[in-house]
Amino acid sequence: STMTRVNVTVDGVLCSDDVEPRMLLVHYLREVVGKVGTVVGCDTSNCGACTVHVAGKAMRSCVVPVKAVAGDAVRTIEGLGGGHPVQQAWLEEQVPQCGYCQTGQIMQAVALLEATPRPTAGQIREGMNGVLCRCGTYPRIEAAVRRAADALAAKAEG
């Protein structure tokens, strides 16, 4: 099949690559750009492990062809840079168990807090809905999102 040239900004770096026209964003990020923090979960968009940000919005990268995001800015877990308040809160609340969903959970939480800096418990549950945790740490996830919201608010005020 014929290759398609795509230009995508990934974590602030412009990437220009020839790809198969149907290549999915998750495979592009992992195999072409080397951003292996984005996890292949279910390949059906049901689990959320592959969540990244496209133009500032949380998106399931396993169902989006990379050519659909050409020209957009994509942010991966690596793009958070480590030490992000959401990542800190995940550790402090001891959310990680098997760790499989963690990348998607964190990216979903960051997007939620960017859109809704002080979410209610209901907004947290709704905002995190659909990112599955096989270990069932939902109360810890909710606590971590609350903790991160507090940390981000304190940082903004400070």
Side-chain angles (χ1 to χ4, degrees):
S1 77
T2 137
M3 301 291 267
T4 302
R5 169 66 49 144
V6 291
N7 297 301
V8 184
T9 301
V10 180
D11 296 334
V13 177
L14 179 61
C15 301
S16 186
D17 297 287
D18 291 321
V19 299
E20 290 283 333
R22 291 186 310 272
M23 180 177 245
L24 296 171
L25 179 56
V26 69
H27 299 299
Y28 175 75
L29 292 171
R30 291 180 60 82
E31 297 155 26
V32 179
V33 187
K35 301 287 184 171
V36 294
T38 301
V39 179
V40 179
C42 63
D43 266 338
T44 60
S45 86
N46 289 321
C47 81
C50 68
T51 301
V52 297
H53 298 173
V54 177
K57 299 225 182 312
M59 195 173 278
R60 308 293 167 90
S61 63
C62 76
V63 290
V64 178
V66 65
K67 69 178 186 190
V69 302
D72 285 330
V74 176
R75 182 166 53 165
T76 70
I77 190 81
E78 287 93 340
L80 292 184
H84 186 283
V86 172
Q87 291 169 306
Q88 271 318 116
W90 245 245
L91 294 173
E92 289 162 8
E93 294 294 339
Q94 299 178 341
V95 176
Q97 300 273 312
C98 82
Y100 201 84
C101 67
Q102 190 166 243
T103 297
Q105 293 276 4
I106 288 171
M107 294 306 287
Q108 186 75 27
V110 169
L112 167 63
L113 293 173
E114 286 175 353
T116 311
R118 299 301 263 168
T120 63
Q123 287 172 317
I124 292 171
R125 279 192 289 276
E126 188 180 317
M128 297 301 293
N129 186 30
V131 187
L132 304 182
C133 170
R134 290 162 170 85
C135 303
T137 63
Y138 297 108
R140 290 182 188 178
I141 289 165
E142 194 175 319
V145 173
R146 260 198 312 280
R147 181 185 285 257
D150 292 343
L152 286 163
K155 202 169 164 182
E157 291 156 15

